[in-house]
Amino acid sequence: MDLKFSKIVNRDRRAVEMMLYGELGEDHEKGQINGHYFARELNWLAREYDEIKIRINSDGGMVTHGLSIVSEMMASTAVIIAQVDGIAASMAAVLLPAADKVTM
């Protein structure tokens, strides 16, 4: 899989980080993050890693894109940590309760 949003942070601990920096939506030219693709990458990572940290700095965005991510977070067998690095507003705030742990 072509990993767009993630990087391996510790192979021994099987930990990876994902970056959700920007607005959720379909317009890549405006810098928006496609939540459906983000969710597919999260699904793939959850099968390969035990811990996934999602670093968030987002004003929110499209509800359908956010709900794709929420569904994958809730279905994941990996431990999901949501870390708010700046702001998690609107749809981005909805991601937080789906995580196993939230840090700010």
Side-chain angles (χ1 to χ4, degrees), residues 1 3 5-10 13-20 38-56 69 72-83 95-96 98-103:
M1 169 169 232
L3 302 177
F5 305 105
S6 58
K7 69 176 182 177
I8 299 164
V9 293
N10 190 324
R13 279 190 26 231
R14 295 178 40 94
V16 65
E17 259 184 13
M18 298 184 79
M19 302 287 281
L20 201 156
F38 192 96
R40 285 194 302 270
E41 187 169 327
L42 177 60
N43 177 282
W44 184 86
L45 290 169
R47 288 182 269 129
E48 301 292 322
Y49 296 93
D50 297 328
E51 179 183 293
I52 301 170
K53 181 184 288 185
I54 302 173
R55 296 178 58 190
I56 302 170
I69 298 170
E72 282 302 326
M73 290 172 71
M74 293 178 70
S76 176
T77 57
V79 174
I80 305 290
I81 301 167
Q83 177 177 312
L95 303 177
L96 302 180
D100 297 306
K101 179 179 178 181
V102 178
T103 61

Side-chain angles (χ1 to χ4, degrees), residues 22-93:
E23 186 177 338
L24 294 167
E26 296 175 349
D27 196 343
H28 182 69
E29 291 179 10
K30 289 185 178 178
Q32 292 181 335
I33 296 168
N34 186 313
H36 306 311
Y37 188 89
F38 192 96
R40 285 194 302 270
E41 187 169 327
L42 177 60
N43 177 282
W44 184 86
L45 290 169
R47 288 182 269 129
E48 301 292 322
Y49 296 93
D50 297 328
E51 179 183 293
I52 301 170
K53 181 184 288 185
I54 302 173
R55 296 178 58 190
I56 302 170
N57 188 8
S58 174
D59 291 333
M62 294 180 68
V63 172
T64 55
H65 286 256
L67 291 179
S68 289
I69 298 170
V70 167
S71 295
E72 282 302 326
M73 290 172 71
M74 293 178 70
S76 176
T77 57
V79 174
I80 305 290
I81 301 167
Q83 177 177 312
V84 180
D85 289 344
I87 187 170
S90 194
M91 192 61 220

